[in-house]
Amino acid sequence: SKTLPSVLALSAEGNRIALMWTDRDAEIWDLSRGTKVVTLSGARRPGERSRVLLDDKGTRAVVWRERENDDRTQTLFVGSPVIWDVDGGRALTTIDATDTRPIGFALGGKRVVLTGRTAESQTATIWDVDTNKPVAPPQDGVETLPTIAPGGRWVTTIDRERDVRVWNAETGAYRRFGAELLQRAEADADGWLV
């Protein structure tokens, strides 16, 4: 009997879908043609769950693995996320950041937004896919999962002090806004909130 996929990921443009199963490698399908584009070989490991996200056009995928701890009270991230060139059918790079989970792509697949944990807090990082390095150092004290704005230029988090951080995905620079200031904010000519 055929098994159903355990994970689905759809590109923002709706043209490609990623399917992951518990018993075989992930596949990316072109929905307009009804054809398989690529199999992501090696993305699956016994005893672990693989997860996948696609960029807006479905031309890049990021795959990571996770498992539950022994008493099933916490999800642990296993290894490092891998970025795939879907059309080329090959792994582009392994993100050199363990214990992290991708949240999504930004800037048309040029960046991956990651979250992770240290002993003290949650972190957020914007990762440059081409250089395989963070755009800026990981930020500690993040209390919420990063949110990527439509278009992928901006990323937001809320920090331990309950301030909102608005990040530029291109540069990694961010501005901090207290909740009371954010209610009155307007964007300047460069798109920054002022």
Side-chain angles (χ1 to χ4, degrees), residues 58-139:
T59 58
R60 287 188 171 172
V62 60
V63 179
W64 71 99
R65 301 182 330 268
E66 55 188 42
R67 67 175 177 81
E68 292 180 345
N69 65 354
D70 292 337
D71 62 3
R72 297 180 160 243
T73 59
Q74 185 179 14
T75 298
L76 306 172
F77 309 125
V78 181
S80 297
V82 177
I83 299 173
W84 286 77
D85 171 4
V86 172
D87 292 329
R90 65 185 179 89
L92 284 175
T93 190
T94 299
I95 295 175
D96 187 22
T98 57
D99 297 325
T100 60
R101 176 172 71 98
I103 297 300
F105 282 95
L107 292 178
K110 294 178 184 177
R111 304 282 189 268
V112 174
V113 179
L114 304 165
T115 187
R117 292 203 72 64
T118 65
E120 297 82 36
S121 69
Q122 185 167 304
T123 62
T125 307
I126 299 175
W127 200 267
D128 186 309
V129 173
D130 294 326
T131 65
N132 197 26
K133 294 181 179 177
V135 175
Q139 297 296 307

Side-chain angles (χ1 to χ4, degrees), residues 161-178:
E161 289 79 30
R162 301 290 184 233
D163 290 335
V164 175
R165 295 181 192 177
V166 179
W167 307 53
N168 179 316
E170 182 74 38
T171 65
Y174 68 88
R175 290 194 181 170
R176 223 179 191 152
F177 297 91

Side-chain angles (χ1 to χ4, degrees), residues 157-166 175-186 193-194:
T157 59
I158 297 177
D159 66 24
R160 186 177 295 137
E161 289 79 30
R162 301 290 184 233
D163 290 335
V164 175
R165 295 181 192 177
V166 179
R175 290 194 181 170
R176 223 179 191 152
F177 297 91
E180 70 284 350
L181 293 176
L182 198 59
Q183 293 173 3
R184 297 175 287 157
E186 295 180 28
L193 297 177
V194 292

